[in-house]
Structures are given as C-alpha cells and as structure tokens.
Amino acid sequence: MLSPEVLHFKEPASVFKSHKIDKNTCFQKISQFNFVHLITVVLPDTTTIIDTFGEELTSSDYYKILSFNIGDLVTKPFLKNFIDRGNLNLLSINTRIDCDNCIAISSTGKLLLHLDKLTFQTLGLEGKVSHFNNLVKEKYIVTVDLKSDDFKSGKCNYERTKSCLQKLKNFDVILSWEPPEKEICPSSIAKYFSDLGYPVELCKIRHHRKTAHSLMVPVIPNLDEFDDEASANFIEWLGMLCIGGSLNERLDFISTYSIPEPSTYTGEVKILQWRGFFSSKDVARLIKQLEIYFGSNRLWKAVYFQGFSDSPVVWGLNEHHYYTSGDNGSVVIMKGQEYYLCLQKCSNKRYK
C-alpha cells in the first residue's frame, strides 16, 4: 500500500518561458543549447519545398563507438586535431542520468562527467555535488576544460587528469565533429578512432516529410501581444499536428480539442523532421535557410528542436536531469523579420 503522504507531493513544475526577441539575441540563445536530438520545421500555406532545403542536415553523419575508453579523448594528438580545431560534440548513450555514469563533450570543449559517489571517490579528480543530489550526495559533477592553456601535454594538471580518466569504465558514445575548414572531411575523426582499433559505426540522419491537407491553423496577428498563454496554446497545436493528432472538433464528445483563435483555413501544411545527433550550429543554419527560401511566407514559420533526456547538460553548462519533467526543447516562431522564442526546461527541484 502506498503511503498517503505521497499524494501531497507536488510534481516538479516544468519551466516554460516565451518572449519576443531580436534576431541576434535569438541566435545567441540557440548557441547555448547542447546535443540536439530532434529538429522539426512546420510551414503553413506552403505547397512546395525546394530540394536543397535542409540538405546539410540530411547528409550530416555522426558515429557510434562501443566500449570507448575516455582516456583516448585527452591524448595530445586528439586534443590538437579535434578539440583545438573544429567543434566536437560527444555524448554517452545507453546511460541513465539519474542512476548511471554519463559523459559528454560540449562544442565549447568542456568534458563533463556525471558520476555516482563511488566512481567519483575512486577517480581522484576535483568536482562538486550534483544540484539535484545536494541532500543525499550520491551524484557528482566533474568538468574539465579541454581547451584551457593549463590543460596541455607535460603540465601536471594534464598528466594527472589523463591518468585518472583511464580508470573510468568504458562508455558507449555517439559523436560528431565539424572541421574548421570545408576541405577537411568530417569523417576524419572516425578514421582516427578506427586506427586506434575501435569498431566505428556510421549513423545516418532519419529524415521525414509529410503534408497535412485542408486545415485550420492558428494566426498570430501581432507578436508583441503574443503572451505565455497564447504561445503555450500555439505550441500545443504544433505538437498535435506533428504527432498526427485529430484537430477536428467533435461535438459528440464531452471533452474535445479546439484550435487556438484566431485561425484561418489553409490548403497545405508542410512538416519536416530530422532525427539524429545535431549541434546548435545546425539549428542556426536551418533557421537562416528558412529566411532565404521562405521569407515571404504570409503566416508564420516554426522550428522546434529537442535535446536528449539523459544529457548531463542542455542549456549552457547548467546541469540537467531526468525526473518526471526531463524533456527539454525550444520553439522559434518567425513572422516576417520578427522572432519569438519559447523555452522549455526541466525543473530545478531537488530529489528528496
């Protein structure tokens, strides 16, 4: 039998913020987002999509390596060729943020270790207690700046860190690398680890397009008057559309879904989705393409991007966790030259 007191526990409140934002600030905010898993574009009143739209996303590859030794991330050749040059994104997979050890490397060159108490104590590196385990102290966070001048071969901090990292149990990881020059192939990182003896698996982006016909879609008369409630209703409609939910109001049901007002009829709505492993730069490039190819769209354009549930960080270096509201994502709404940003973050409520 469950304790009656459980009924009095409130669920962690999901953090939702929305506001009109200028273009430069919008891209600055997007650049703080780490490890994108899903990107969705919704285009109402659109009949054709140019073939080259989103081509970079569709053709981008990422790689999976099983039983990877973290010590190989801090060798002198790797730091020189893939950390100091280009942008590397790496994330452990098949790990749960609430009870397993997790690792990541952000595009800013930060190695992030999310460790249980026993692993942290045996590792020997400096760290801090996880915000979400501040009371029980069962989780610890270690951050290593791989681009720091102090983290160079031959220096005490480097040699000690390298020795400690080699003690860690191997991880399954996914990674992608964006080279500093177009002449350099992104697959260079795959060859590097293949030469070290790792079996490297190429992962392909899953791309899906669909068209919804004869729909009533919400209208945004003025972004200056688009408040949290209106944006939340709009995003709910986007979600219903993307999952294929019924948007037709049924009078024979007690409870039914109603399309946000004001609304208008449109013949076609294009929905494009990419699923895989992306960086915030990929999202920014896609939004800039939207401006070029669909700048004259008379209604609005929307881009939704979502992170991984078990990522150590999502926004900047702020710690993330998976609890009951661990989903994280953002929606960018574009109307003409105006931008509106909606942020969804996990709760900061600590574990009891």
Side-chain angles (χ1 to χ4, degrees), residues 213-216 237 240 245-253 255-259:
H213 299 277
S214 304
L215 285 182
M216 296 294 294
W237 179 87
M240 289 282 288
S246 176
L247 297 172
N248 297 321
E249 189 170 350
R250 296 285 298 275
L251 299 178
D252 52 338
F253 285 108
S255 178
T256 186
Y257 178 78
S258 298
I259 298 174

Side-chain angles (χ1 to χ4, degrees), residues 9-187:
F9 292 164
K10 293 183 178 181
E11 70 279 3
S14 186
V15 180
F16 178 78
K17 297 180 180 180
S18 64
H19 55 279
K20 186 180 177 182
I21 192 170
D22 66 83
K23 179 179 177 179
N24 292 333
T25 305
C26 182
F27 283 113
Q28 184 181 8
K29 288 282 188 181
I30 292 173
S31 68
Q32 299 173 8
F33 198 93
N34 292 292
F35 316 120
V36 180
H37 176 53
L38 174 70
I39 303 175
T40 302
V41 174
V42 179
L43 298 169
D45 196 27
T46 303
T47 56
T48 58
I49 302 291
I50 190 169
D51 291 338
T52 55
F53 178 71
E55 188 177 37
E56 290 188 12
L57 278 185
T58 307
S59 60
S60 63
D61 297 324
Y62 65 103
Y63 303 93
K64 178 167 67 174
I65 303 177
L66 302 180
S67 192
F68 183 75
N69 189 302
I70 305 306
D72 288 327
L73 294 174
V74 293
T75 61
K76 184 178 178 179
F78 184 80
L79 293 175
K80 178 182 177 181
N81 294 309
F82 300 106
I83 297 296
D84 295 338
R85 304 176 69 232
N87 292 297
L88 174 70
N89 287 275
L90 180 145
L91 184 66
S92 58
I93 57 175
N94 304 322
T95 54
R96 296 164 294 179
I97 196 67
D98 56 340
C99 56
D100 295 330
N101 294 327
C102 302
I103 68 163
I105 295 181
S106 69
S107 56
T108 57
K110 299 293 193 300
L111 173 61
L112 308 161
L113 308 176
H114 196 287
L115 308 172
D116 59 44
K117 184 176 182 179
L118 178 60
T119 304
F120 174 75
Q121 290 177 339
T122 57
L123 187 63
L125 292 177
E126 293 183 4
K128 62 180 182 179
V129 180
S130 166
H131 166 80
F132 301 104
N133 283 264
N134 191 54
L135 297 178
V136 295
K137 293 180 172 57
E138 292 294 331
K139 278 283 190 175
Y140 289 80
I141 309 299
V142 176
T143 303
V144 180
D145 188 354
L146 301 180
K147 292 189 176 183
S148 171
D149 292 334
D150 294 332
F151 196 76
K152 300 297 180 184
S153 179
K155 293 194 175 183
C156 295
N157 180 44
Y158 169 81
E159 299 298 340
R160 181 173 178 272
T161 302
K162 181 181 178 181
S163 176
C164 292
L165 291 178
Q166 289 174 339
K167 302 176 186 177
L168 281 174
K169 182 181 177 181
N170 292 351
F171 290 85
D172 298 340
V173 300
I174 53 175
L175 56 89
S176 65
W177 180 67
E178 184 177 338
E181 302 169 4
K182 290 185 178 180
E183 293 75 16
I184 302 176
C185 183
S187 63

Side-chain angles (χ1 to χ4, degrees), residues 198-329:
Y198 287 107
V200 181
E201 180 181 341
L202 173 64
C203 301
K204 288 290 187 180
I205 303 300
R206 287 178 286 169
H207 178 43
H208 178 68
R209 291 187 181 190
K210 65 179 180 180
T211 303
H213 299 277
S214 304
L215 285 182
M216 296 294 294
V217 302
V219 174
I220 306 174
N222 190 343
L223 283 178
D224 292 318
E225 301 175 0
F226 203 54
D227 56 16
D228 283 353
E229 181 179 357
S231 60
N233 291 334
F234 179 85
I235 292 173
E236 182 183 31
W237 179 87
L238 284 178
M240 289 282 288
L241 176 68
C242 293
I243 66 174
S246 176
L247 297 172
N248 297 321
E249 189 170 350
R250 296 285 298 275
L251 299 178
D252 52 338
F253 285 108
I254 297 177
S255 178
T256 186
Y257 178 78
S258 298
I259 298 174
E261 295 293 341
S263 61
T264 187
Y265 175 84
T266 185
E268 292 186 358
V269 178
K270 299 293 185 182
I271 306 164
L272 300 87
Q273 288 188 334
W274 294 265
R275 191 182 299 269
F277 188 43
F278 310 99
S279 68
S280 58
K281 288 187 176 182
D282 293 322
V283 178
R285 279 192 288 262
L286 188 68
I287 292 176
K288 291 175 181 177
Q289 274 195 323
L290 273 174
E291 288 184 321
I292 297 173
Y293 295 137
F294 305 98
S296 60
N297 187 290
R298 67 181 180 88
L299 290 176
W300 45 261
K301 303 174 285 291
V303 180
Y304 168 70
F305 53 96
Q306 178 180 318
F308 290 80
S309 295
D310 291 297
S311 168
V313 295
V314 177
W315 290 99
L317 295 180
N318 295 325
E319 185 185 347
H320 177 62
H321 74 130
Y322 186 84
Y323 196 29
T324 58
S325 59
D327 291 339
N328 51 84

